[in-house]
Amino acid sequence: MSHEEYMRLALELAKKATGFTSPNPIVGAVIVRDGEIIGQGYHKRYGDLHAERNAFAECDAKGIDCTGADMYVTLEPCCHHGKQPPCTEAVIAHGIKRVFVGSSDPNPLVSGKGSEQLRRSGIEVHEGILRSECDKVNEIFFHYITHKRPFVTMKYAMTMDGKIACTTGESKWITGEEARRHVHFERLRHTAIMAGVGTVIADDPLLTCRLEGGRDPIRIICDSTLRTPLESSIVKTAAEVPTVIASACADPERIKPYTDRGCEVITAAGIDGRVDLRELMRILGEERGIDSILLEGGGELNWSALKAGIVNKVQAYIAPKIFGGNAKTPVSGEGVLTPSEAYILETVDIVRLGEDHMIESMVRYVHRDS
């Protein structure tokens, strides 16, 4: 096997922990000697052993000596004490000869220091193996550790003519089962999910992850005036699934019915009487440790999020259907006035999901203070 093939195996191991390591990265490690894989592991859950130490634990359990072996790890080994001791110490102690690294770690506590510590101990370090693929699986971690703001993915499903519902408002279902399952994987991958109060009133969603063995995201409802129905599924299940209502209202009497039912109410008031999305991201990132949000809003919230400059990625699930008519579109609001003011999307991936396609793009803010 080639260096790339070993690293790709480490990547597949890392992906097994998707949704369970936040706010830490997902990492996989493979130990190879004389062309034979002698150990492998991944960081399974926040607070548990890191990938390198899990791989060594497998070798230790089998009585395998790692001296002179190579290690392939998707992210630069850490060199600081956190929930776990430094992985560099374990790499050195086990006599690894060469380490092949996918991504460099932007965490200031690591950021090149891990690789340098290994080199000072006489270990060869080769960096950048499948770097783009390794970077992508940790795009959330990289963004959060750098900016202390949630990585926001704006998701919507639409027809080929750009409609998210019929003229009657009926929207179930635009896409097929495979695409909808992919959405639940994205709910698992993100720490939180955000929708507007209009969506709650119109659809009464649960906003949970319905994958077997999955984890429900924290639910965030943008509700400037606190009009989320107390009888809604969101409020009625707030004691079971963490639920945050972000509002511009600070009236204790208006807030109490929600907190009595298990909701947390965050006040992030803007000058226009609406939720200040930038301030909300600061609160969620710095004070709540939320590293990622899947935005499943309606057209108005999607526009507000773009305008506020908080959207990092757009995922458009496109069904081979045409609704026609004057129906809702994914992004509404006042819109831009000229094509030159458009929000620019840089396509990262196009995925076939049954009869549907998902186009994934990064948002590039041009000539905007965001």
Side-chain angles (χ1 to χ4, degrees):
M1 292 175 66
S2 66
H3 297 315
E4 289 75 16
E5 288 173 312
Y6 287 127
M7 187 62 75
R8 194 159 280 117
L9 174 57
L11 270 170
E12 291 307 309
L13 289 168
K15 292 175 185 177
K16 289 183 177 182
T18 296
F20 295 99
T21 64
S22 173
N24 282 353
I26 59 172
V27 185
V30 174
I31 304 172
V32 180
R33 184 168 53 208
D34 299 327
E36 179 186 355
I37 296 173
I38 60 174
Q40 52 188 339
Y42 64 99
H43 180 37
K44 296 180 179 179
R45 190 176 295 271
Y46 176 68
D48 285 359
L49 288 176
H50 290 181
E52 298 93 324
R53 289 183 177 273
N54 266 326
F56 288 132
E58 182 175 276
C59 291
D60 294 343
K62 297 177 181 177
I64 298 174
D65 183 358
C66 296
T67 301
D70 296 334
M71 171 171 274
Y72 294 81
V73 60
T74 57
L75 183 67
E76 178 183 1
C78 67
C79 54
H80 67 287
H81 283 269
K83 292 278 185 182
Q84 296 291 335
C87 289
T88 50
E89 291 182 357
V91 174
I92 295 166
H94 281 80
I96 293 295
K97 181 180 179 180
R98 299 187 300 178
V99 174
F100 296 86
V101 176
S103 298
S104 298
D105 193 336
N107 185 344
L109 295 174
V110 185
S111 192
K113 301 181 184 72
S115 293
E116 180 58 30
Q117 187 177 105
L118 295 177
R119 289 190 177 103
R120 287 200 307 268
S121 298
I123 298 172
E124 292 182 32
V125 179
H126 302 268
E127 300 174 282
I129 312 298
L130 294 185
R131 179 174 179 173
S132 61
E133 293 177 45
C134 291
D135 285 354
K136 185 177 180 182
V137 299
N138 275 313
E139 62 185 359
I140 287 172
F141 169 73
F142 287 0
H143 176 83
Y144 182 69
I145 201 70
T146 304
H147 303 287
K148 280 293 181 285
R149 297 291 187 274
F151 182 95
V152 178
T153 301
M154 186 171 79
K155 164 265 165 186
Y156 53 81
M158 69 179 190
T159 60
M160 287 282 282
D161 59 334
K163 309 297 184 183
I164 61 172
C166 298
T167 53
T168 59
E170 183 66 34
S171 62
K172 294 182 179 179
W173 295 103
I174 292 175
T175 54
E177 185 175 335
E178 191 172 338
R180 297 199 299 274
R181 179 177 174 81
H182 191 271
V183 170
H184 284 282
F185 173 78
E186 290 298 323
R187 289 182 178 183
L188 171 65
R189 191 168 78 92
H190 291 74
T191 298
I193 183 171
M194 187 162 76
V197 63
T199 296
V200 175
I201 292 172
D203 301 333
D204 192 27
L206 270 173
L207 302 180
T208 53
C209 173
R210 291 187 278 282
L211 295 178
E212 185 177 351
R215 169 200 53 80
D216 288 329
I218 298 168
R219 302 179 301 195
I220 303 168
I221 307 302
C222 285
D223 181 1
S224 296
T225 59
L226 282 182
R227 57 193 182 100
T228 299
L230 295 176
E231 66 276 10
S232 65
S233 296
I234 291 286
V235 175
K236 289 197 301 188
T237 58
E240 305 160 22
V241 182
T243 302
V244 174
I245 297 179
S247 181
C249 177
D251 183 350
E253 292 187 7
R254 297 279 306 283
I255 291 173
K256 189 174 185 299
Y258 295 100
T259 55
D260 284 348
R261 289 165 172 79
C263 299
E264 178 185 3
V265 178
I266 292 177
T267 302
I271 58 174
D272 57 356
R274 300 168 68 92
V275 172
D276 183 334
L277 292 177
R278 287 195 183 193
E279 173 62 8
L280 178 60
M281 293 304 107
R282 186 198 67 77
I283 294 171
L284 295 175
E286 293 183 3
E287 300 179 15
R288 301 299 195 278
I290 293 176
D291 65 356
S292 55
I293 294 173
L294 183 63
L295 176 59
E296 294 197 30
E300 290 292 335
L301 180 56
N302 286 345
W303 169 255
S304 296
L306 279 169
K307 191 175 178 182
I310 68 168
V311 180
N312 301 103
K313 177 188 282 189
V314 174
Q315 289 181 331
Y317 294 79
I318 303 174
K321 302 174 182 177
I322 292 177
F323 284 175
N326 188 27
K328 295 179 179 179
T329 59
V331 183
S332 51
E334 65 266 29
V336 299
L337 299 179
T338 65
S340 63
E341 297 176 288
Y343 291 86
I344 305 300
L345 302 180
E346 298 176 336
T347 300
V348 173
D349 210 355
I350 301 175
V351 181
R352 178 75 178 263
L353 298 166
E355 295 299 313
D356 309 309
H357 287 82
M358 189 271 287
I359 300 179
E360 187 173 75
S361 304
M362 300 301 291
V363 183
R364 178 163 59 90
Y365 292 96
V366 182
H367 305 307
R368 287 184 170 89
D369 183 24
S370 57

